[in-house]
Amino acid sequence: MLEIEYWWLAVVPAFFALGWAAARIDIRQVIREARDLPRAYFRALNLLVSEDTERATDVLVELARAERGNTELQLALAGLFRRKGETDRAIRIHQNLLAEGGLDTEAKQKVTLELALDFLAAGLLDRAEGELRRLVGTSQEARALPPLLNLYAAEREWQKAIETARRLEEITGHPRPHEIAQHWCEVAQHAFNHSDDAGAAAAVEAALAANYKCTRANLIGGRLALRQGDPTRALACWQRVESQNAEDLPLVAGLIAETALAHGNGQAAANLLRGYWQQVPTVDVLDAALRVVLAVEGEDAARALLAEAVLQRPSILAVSRQLEHGSPLGDIATLRQLLGQHTRRLSQYRCKACGFRARSHYWQCPACSAWETYPARRVEELNIYD
Ligand SMILES: [Zn+2]
């Protein structure tokens, strides 16, 4: 045992020696190559490191003039121009590189991508789209598709966005169900707005096929059913949100209340919305439940619902609803506690520079280190008077 350990002790320094030698050889190689470079490169590099892009660009322009055939240098220069916002100069360099020829196919594709990014930065969207589409099916496709997808979304070209997102899924292996379903919802909403009911229905189906948890699809589907004179189907669409993502119930609660009341389904809706409020106790669900309960069961039932709501989930909004409905305030202790919580937050100080809140006043912000950024006013006073 002991002998083996000694043997290892001898090996460790040997490894260190080898590593040291390897490092020396690498450094010598770098130094030898560096000696062949003109001093101007180092000047440019130095300026770039010290973030003086203005002068670094001047130096690189001089160098590029002297070495026209150096593609890497031209690309570096064009990249600098784009970063500085001089997109026209970046475009010219990339176009010249492509026109001069002498690039192999892969290099040409890389330059085409750079040119497309120049056009995007310059706001020339049509030309950017043209160049990016040229890269579909090439080695640069994975880099070209994300900006192409953003571009289609910005131009609201949803069908093309869907095709592009699908293609991205294929080549990267990363599914994008939420994005694609939202694109379909945009198609559906557009069709709905233009009274194309068949188109809207098909797009809603496609959205749900892409992401069966897409609540927005059922929101639109319900509106569509209602317009087609089928309130039962509309209510069924909105109720599906509960199993898809209960957190989105506040978005459909009001619609359910309104539609159920208009079509004589009030009592069923009252029970349904009471249940929703237990799951997602937000003021939107409470308002919807209150509206139906008031209409179907009367004032006393509405007050009872509010009292229960304030007791179970105390919130300032719930208490304010209680006051609106003329309820006598039963539980002063709850109200005092709620007000205490809120006033603690409202009585903080807030940094003008970064928004950091603190309980005491600071001359220097503990978050962003700026001086004299704390107004001597509490948050509530800032909100009211500014
Ligand atoms: Zn700050």
Side-chain angles (χ1 to χ4, degrees), residues 102-362:
L103 297 177
D104 62 25
T105 313
E106 184 151 353
K108 220 183 272 176
Q109 289 161 358
K110 279 185 183 159
V111 176
T112 304
L113 179 68
E114 294 302 321
L115 181 61
L117 298 179
D118 295 340
F119 284 140
L120 269 182
L124 301 167
L125 302 188
D126 283 351
R127 303 190 66 179
E129 183 189 336
E131 300 300 333
L132 290 170
R133 284 169 69 103
R134 216 193 290 267
L135 293 169
V136 173
T138 72
S139 65
Q140 296 300 307
E141 183 172 15
R143 292 182 63 205
L145 289 186
L148 190 60
L149 183 55
N150 289 343
L151 200 145
Y152 286 143
E155 292 180 327
R156 310 184 65 74
E157 298 243 31
W158 303 115
Q159 293 285 0
K160 287 181 181 172
I162 291 162
E163 284 162 29
T164 310
R166 287 262 181 245
R167 178 78 188 135
L168 251 181
E169 280 185 328
E170 261 173 54
I171 60 173
T172 62
H174 292 297
R176 317 170 78 95
H178 295 274
E179 196 176 6
I180 292 172
Q182 286 292 335
H183 292 159
W184 278 119
C185 284
E186 293 285 350
V187 174
Q189 188 64 55
H190 184 264
F192 179 85
N193 293 347
H194 291 80
S195 303
D196 170 11
D197 285 11
V204 163
E205 285 306 311
L208 289 169
N211 172 22
Y212 74 101
K213 293 219 163 196
C214 179
T215 51
R216 188 183 176 191
N218 278 326
L219 198 67
I220 300 171
R223 286 185 196 278
L224 187 64
L226 190 65
R227 189 167 72 188
Q228 291 172 329
D230 191 346
T232 311
R233 191 155 56 86
L235 288 168
C237 280
W238 295 326
Q239 284 176 43
R240 251 172 251 145
V241 169
E242 185 184 6
S243 62
Q244 288 181 305
N245 177 17
E247 281 302 307
D248 281 347
L249 282 176
L251 300 175
V252 290
L255 289 166
I256 290 175
E258 191 182 332
T259 307
L261 282 179
H263 296 89
N265 276 331
Q267 191 55 63
N271 298 335
L272 187 72
L273 291 167
R274 275 195 172 100
Y276 286 176
W277 188 82
Q278 294 291 341
Q279 289 183 62
V280 195
T282 72
V283 76
D284 291 303
V285 179
L286 182 62
D287 280 342
L290 207 57
R291 198 171 151 194
V292 180
V293 168
L294 191 66
V296 182
E297 301 172 14
E299 192 84 30
D300 286 345
R303 280 197 197 134
L305 174 66
L306 273 169
E308 190 197 327
V310 171
L311 198 68
Q312 277 191 18
R313 290 285 180 153
S315 79
I316 291 276
L317 286 168
V319 171
S320 82
R321 292 295 185 277
Q322 213 173 10
L323 290 172
E324 282 165 25
H325 280 264
S327 299
L329 279 172
D331 190 2
I332 291 294
T334 306
L335 186 63
R336 192 184 303 139
Q337 193 195 340
L338 282 171
L339 283 176
Q341 283 167 12
H342 280 262
T343 47
R344 255 199 300 287
R345 219 171 310 148
L346 289 172
S347 64
Q348 290 174 328
Y349 294 97
R350 187 175 58 203
C351 171
K352 266 194 300 197
C354 73
F356 185 77
R357 290 174 177 223
R359 225 177 310 160
S360 45
H361 181 269
Y362 287 100

Side-chain angles (χ1 to χ4, degrees), residues 350-356 364-370 373-374:
R350 187 175 58 203
C351 171
K352 266 194 300 197
C354 73
F356 185 77
Q364 184 185 19
C365 175
C368 72
S369 302
T373 53
Y374 274 81

